[in-house]
Amino acid sequence: MAAVRVEAVLAAAEEEEAEKRRSITVEKELELEYDLGNLLAVDRNPPPAAALRGAGPRREALLRALARDNTQLLVSRLWELPAERAGGAGGPLVAQLPEPTFRLPREKPAPKPRPPTRWEQFARLKGIRRKKKTSLVWDEQAKEWRRRWGYKRAGGDPSRAWLAEVPAGADPEEDQFARLRREKRERVARNELNRLRNLARAHRAGSAVPAAPLHPTGHQDRDELRRVARVARVSTASLGRFQPRLPKEPAEPPSRSGGKKRRFQPLLGNLAAERSRQLELLRDMGSKKPVLDITRAVNKQLRAEEAEAAAANKGKKQSKRGKRGRRQQRPGRSGKKSGARRQPQQQKPAGGGTGG
Amino acid sequence: LICCYRKPKTKRAKRFLEKREPKLNENTKNAMLIKGGNANLTVTEVLKDIYAVKKPFAVLYKRKNITRPFEDQTSLEFFSKKSDCSLFLFGSHNKKRPNNLIIGRMFDYHVLDMIELGVEKFVALKDIKNSKCPEGTKPMLIFAGDMFDVNEEYRRLKSLLIDFFRGPTVPNIRLAGLEYVLHFTAVDGKIYMRSYKVLLKKSGCKIPRIELEEMGPSLDLVMRRTHLASDDLYKLSLKQPKGLKPKKKKNISHDALGTTYGRIHMQKQDLSKLQTRKMKGLKKRPAEKSAQDGGATPKKSKSA
């Protein structure tokens, strides 16, 4: 008796639940696709085309019913999201939306990281890092904390400086104020020039110009112009063989290998040139000065070593390691010097062999 | 390039430029609503209503601009650059194409997609007399009809409409504030756009029952010409930078049933020093202990 009652009670409860849920359940053939991050729902069911063809209020009612069903489904999904009460117990119920999944095109292309400037390259090579500077400096004269630069800076207003000392080795008649102003102008101009050069370098590197503008723009440097002139010369039907040269332009023979392989002079060519070349060679061999510039070679080697050390110690304690690394290189330095000195001595007997 | 040479001299100018430069997470797209040389009343009303829906992420130009977007896109691109808008809606009217709307979007200030739609029937905001939802409400978007998946042009149109009406991307949303829904139905070569105000009624359980009230602009559209971007340009525009991908946590995997598995790497354990449960029966008796020590009792070692 009791068991039957329990079953009846449970069945009744279930029916009540179903009754309640009936108001919010919607029957659909195909499930909708949801993108809750965009509050988007896509219904793939084909709408009743025949019913919607007739114009007028019937169509509106049908559309409205369809919209109501779809909106009910979307809102049910949104209500199932994890929600909390914002701003304490009495605040509104706020749901956390997931990330939008529907892929939409961007407005602008993704930003490219700009190439490092000349100073940044040098700093990376040497292992120099930025020193954090305080924004306020103690000004003794004003007896308060002032900014390092800008409005009301610590050193006092530079335009109202009434004293400019003549430095030790300078001309007593020179106008010091004018000199200070001129130097500031020069510094500003140099700064601006370097900034523009860095920009141009970044722009050139970024755009990877294989086809440089073949008309002169007035802002190109010598190497680029030379490159462009060469390209223009070679772009004729006969590959630049019959192009007239300017009076001072050097005559370049067309090198099929691009100047990579050794080219030997013809055997019985210019006798005078051959004689002068041989005499020069003998003169160089006989002189006491080494052909190889040792200091330059050593500096080049040191720079390469420093760059290697800096690159290897990236990520670790850079500044300390840099100093220690440089200190460790000292015993190696003298070794490199002796190695450099050995080279010209090696070349001499070889040169003597070919000359003799 | 002039923007690169000239450095901004004021903080305001710097902020202005920073807003427009390409970023990892982009700003909400702005739309510009432009009238053509011969825009009639219907088209003007449509533009005004769409402006009301899209405020504040839209710009409505008052004057008429004599251009033809399908022939020459430079004028549109110029406007886009000046006002930093990447979506546009251009309205015009002539005998061959009455009540014409061109909806489009830009990528890097160049036209990406453009679709021409004809307005067959239009019911304005002011024609329906009831209370409207507040300005700037994020609308819910619903697309009905299998045409939006089958046809390539309709698919692009769907993407365009989502882009247009989406609004800002928000992490949280107030559930009671879901008041506005835009419903697009594609049937019989026509697209019906209807806007409803959502009323949340009490139902027996937690999820409310929805009742809709026709509110805003409703349009009957028919697709005319299209100018879609080539596949590779479209793919390029879809490309997301690497920084946006969420960082994957290693050693964590998920099951199909929803269980999360983790992998913990332990160091080598000294099993002799492992503390297990104390069982009195296994305790070492003093006789066994002395046998292990090799006969040396602790007392003796202390005295020594």
Side-chain angles (χ1 to χ4, degrees):
Chain A
M1 196 59 173
V4 173
R5 279 232 193 107
V6 163
E7 265 176 31
V9 164
L10 280 172
E14 233 181 85
E15 248 211 58
E16 248 184 78
E17 269 288 331
E19 188 65 46
K20 280 189 199 173
R21 291 236 151 219
R22 207 167 296 162
S23 60
I24 59 164
T25 42
V26 175
E27 287 292 320
K28 282 274 181 185
E29 269 176 30
L30 274 172
E31 271 293 315
L32 304 198
E33 284 175 5
Y34 301 96
D35 176 9
L36 296 173
N38 277 326
L39 300 181
L40 173 70
V42 177
D43 180 12
R44 293 215 187 170
N45 299 306
L52 285 169
R53 216 163 284 160
R58 221 174 113 238
R59 189 206 275 165
E60 293 302 314
L62 254 167
L63 284 173
R64 192 205 219 129
L66 181 63
R68 197 220 77 81
D69 289 339
N70 287 334
T71 319
Q72 179 74 66
L73 286 165
L74 179 58
V75 168
S76 317
R77 272 305 177 92
L78 284 168
W79 237 261
E80 281 165 17
L81 285 173
E84 56 178 26
R85 291 232 161 242
L93 198 59
V94 168
Q96 284 170 350
L97 288 176
E99 291 274 330
T101 52
F102 193 85
R103 278 184 84 192
L104 287 164
R106 281 175 67 95
E107 208 177 18
K108 292 162 194 154
K112 284 175 284 201
R114 57 176 179 83
T117 61
R118 214 163 134 77
W119 165 253
E120 279 173 5
Q121 283 170 359
F122 180 75
R124 203 189 304 155
L125 177 70
K126 289 282 191 175
I128 300 171
R129 286 166 97 206
R130 292 210 66 190
K131 281 207 188 95
K132 257 268 184 166
K133 292 199 173 112
T134 58
S135 49
L136 297 176
V137 192
W138 177 251
D139 190 2
E140 260 313 313
Q141 232 181 9
K143 298 274 193 294
E144 63 173 6
W145 288 97
R146 288 259 173 99
R147 298 164 203 221
R148 190 182 285 276
W149 37 259
Y151 182 60
K152 284 190 185 154
R153 69 187 82 156
D157 191 3
S159 60
R160 295 182 70 199
W162 50 270
L163 180 70
E165 282 187 20
V166 180
D171 178 21
E173 303 293 318
E174 194 189 355
D175 184 2
Q176 294 304 316
F177 296 107
R179 181 183 63 91
L180 288 169
R181 265 179 281 140
R182 187 180 27 137
E183 283 182 353
K184 182 166 171 97
R185 243 180 288 137
E186 282 169 8
R187 263 181 282 140
V188 168
R190 195 183 330 130
N191 227 335
E192 186 64 20
L193 179 70
N194 283 330
R195 182 182 80 91
L196 290 174
R197 271 211 215 127
N198 278 328
L199 263 178
R201 206 173 296 124
H203 183 71
R204 216 186 316 149
S207 53
V209 194
L214 289 176
H215 54 270
T217 58
H219 301 298
Q220 290 158 309
D221 53 345
R222 214 188 316 154
D223 306 311
E224 202 178 335
L225 281 173
R226 209 178 287 154
R227 216 184 309 142
V228 166
R230 196 181 334 134
V231 170
R233 163 179 298 281
V234 177
S235 7
T236 52
S238 49
L239 300 179
R241 276 181 68 191
F242 304 111
Q243 285 297 106
R245 288 196 170 263
L246 289 174
K248 288 203 182 159
E249 223 182 329
E252 238 183 77
S255 50
R256 289 240 309 269
S257 62
K260 283 183 191 143
K261 285 204 173 140
R262 271 186 83 180
R263 286 282 162 135
F264 296 96
Q265 301 297 324
L267 280 176
L268 295 172
N270 196 346
L271 285 176
E274 194 182 338
R275 190 193 151 135
S276 58
R277 219 180 330 115
Q278 301 283 9
L279 285 174
E280 242 186 75
L281 192 62
L282 283 171
R283 186 165 34 90
D284 281 336
M285 279 161 56
S287 76
K288 300 288 178 188
K289 274 203 305 188
V291 183
L292 183 68
D293 192 353
I294 294 171
T295 43
R296 279 189 79 184
V298 164
N299 286 339
K300 209 168 176 180
Q301 182 68 28
L302 281 175
R303 200 158 294 141
E305 277 179 1
E306 274 176 351
E308 240 183 73
N313 300 335
K314 232 185 188 182
K316 303 181 185 175
K317 295 175 193 173
Q318 267 184 342
S319 53
K320 282 198 174 169
R321 267 300 194 97
K323 283 185 194 158
R324 250 188 265 143
R326 264 181 253 141
R327 253 183 249 136
Q328 274 171 10
Q329 275 171 32
R330 278 212 189 109
R333 270 195 210 170
S334 48
K336 295 298 162 194
K337 259 193 180 163
S338 51
R341 211 168 258 140
R342 251 181 255 135
Q343 282 183 20
Q345 286 169 9
Q346 263 178 6
Q347 271 185 11
K348 277 178 191 169
T354 49
Chain B
L1 265 179
I2 299 172
C3 59
C4 294
Y5 298 158
R6 274 198 245 144
K7 254 192 341 185
K9 297 221 193 252
T10 55
K11 280 270 161 62
R12 186 166 176 237
K14 193 168 165 205
R15 266 181 271 138
F16 177 86
L17 286 176
E18 271 175 9
K19 200 169 106 184
R20 297 194 173 200
E21 64 182 12
K23 297 175 209 159
L24 269 183
N25 289 321
E26 292 188 316
N27 311 334
T28 316
K29 290 194 186 180
N30 280 340
M32 47 188 186
L33 308 168
I34 314 172
K35 288 201 285 187
N38 44 10
N40 61 354
L41 188 65
T42 323
V43 153
T44 322
E45 289 285 307
V46 170
L47 289 175
K48 265 185 14 196
D49 279 358
I50 304 268
Y51 175 62
V53 167
K54 264 219 76 138
K55 266 205 267 202
F57 297 106
V59 189
L60 177 66
Y61 286 127
K62 280 191 182 167
R63 296 217 203 128
K64 296 192 178 175
N65 296 292
I66 306 174
T67 44
R68 283 171 222 210
F70 271 85
E71 272 98 48
D72 175 34
Q73 286 121 28
T74 45
S75 167
L76 280 175
E77 291 175 0
F78 175 74
F79 283 139
S80 157
K81 222 182 227 171
K82 279 290 173 180
S83 60
D84 192 31
C85 293
S86 52
L87 301 163
F88 67 88
L89 190 60
F90 183 89
S92 66
H93 173 85
N94 52 24
K95 207 154 157 198
K96 190 170 174 193
R97 292 176 232 275
N99 297 331
N100 209 17
L101 279 180
I102 303 177
I103 184 169
R105 64 183 156 200
M106 309 277 205
F107 176 67
D108 198 16
Y109 303 125
H110 293 297
V111 167
L112 184 65
D113 290 332
M114 274 196 299
I115 298 181
E116 195 174 51
L117 302 160
V119 179
E120 298 205 327
K121 193 168 83 98
F122 172 61
V123 181
L125 270 170
K126 61 177 173 34
D127 288 341
I128 305 175
K129 298 196 185 353
N130 59 358
S131 63
K132 317 283 179 196
C133 62
E135 201 176 274
T137 324
K138 192 166 158 92
M140 292 188 276
L141 300 164
I142 304 181
F143 288 83
D146 48 349
M147 280 283 262
F148 279 124
D149 279 310
V150 164
N151 195 334
E152 174 63 38
E153 295 186 341
Y154 276 75
R155 237 182 298 159
R156 284 291 181 93
L157 178 64
K158 180 172 99 167
S159 164
L160 237 179
L161 289 169
I162 296 173
D163 219 353
F164 205 89
F165 290 108
R166 180 160 80 131
T169 312
V170 286
N172 303 317
I173 190 159
R174 194 172 71 100
L175 287 173
L178 293 167
E179 288 177 342
Y180 193 39
V181 65
L182 286 168
H183 192 268
F184 299 89
T185 321
V187 153
D188 245 0
K190 291 206 191 175
I191 301 152
Y192 300 103
M193 173 181 145
R194 299 283 180 271
S195 336
Y196 301 102
K197 185 170 160 158
V198 174
L199 305 163
L200 306 162
K201 296 272 170 31
K202 250 189 162 68
S203 74
C205 38
K206 213 165 45 126
I207 303 170
R209 182 179 160 79
I210 300 291
E211 290 296 332
L212 296 179
E213 197 187 326
E214 174 115 26
M215 176 190 95
S218 82
L219 297 161
D220 289 359
L221 303 163
V222 67
M223 183 126 63
R224 291 180 185 156
R225 294 183 287 181
T226 58
H227 173 99
L228 304 178
S230 57
D231 272 335
D232 46 344
L233 180 61
Y234 194 64
K235 263 197 209 145
L236 184 67
S237 68
L238 285 175
K239 217 162 120 179
Q240 301 290 343
K242 264 195 172 164
L244 279 181
K245 265 202 297 199
K247 279 213 165 138
K248 193 173 177 231
K249 265 193 135 170
K250 278 187 172 175
N251 293 334
I252 295 179
S253 58
H254 294 269
D255 203 358
L257 298 168
T259 331
T260 313
Y261 292 97
R263 209 184 175 97
I264 311 171
H265 295 266
M266 298 279 299
Q267 291 165 342
K268 203 170 167 88
Q269 284 178 305
D270 188 6
L271 290 168
S272 63
K273 297 220 172 62
L274 200 66
Q275 180 161 20
T276 51
R277 275 195 300 195
K278 291 184 181 157
M279 289 202 215
K280 212 161 168 188
L282 297 173
K283 206 167 170 183
K284 277 205 184 108
R285 284 188 211 106
E288 271 181 12
K289 231 187 189 171
S290 57
Q292 220 181 33
D293 286 346
T297 51
K299 275 189 186 169
K300 274 195 179 171
S301 57
K302 267 190 195 168
S303 56

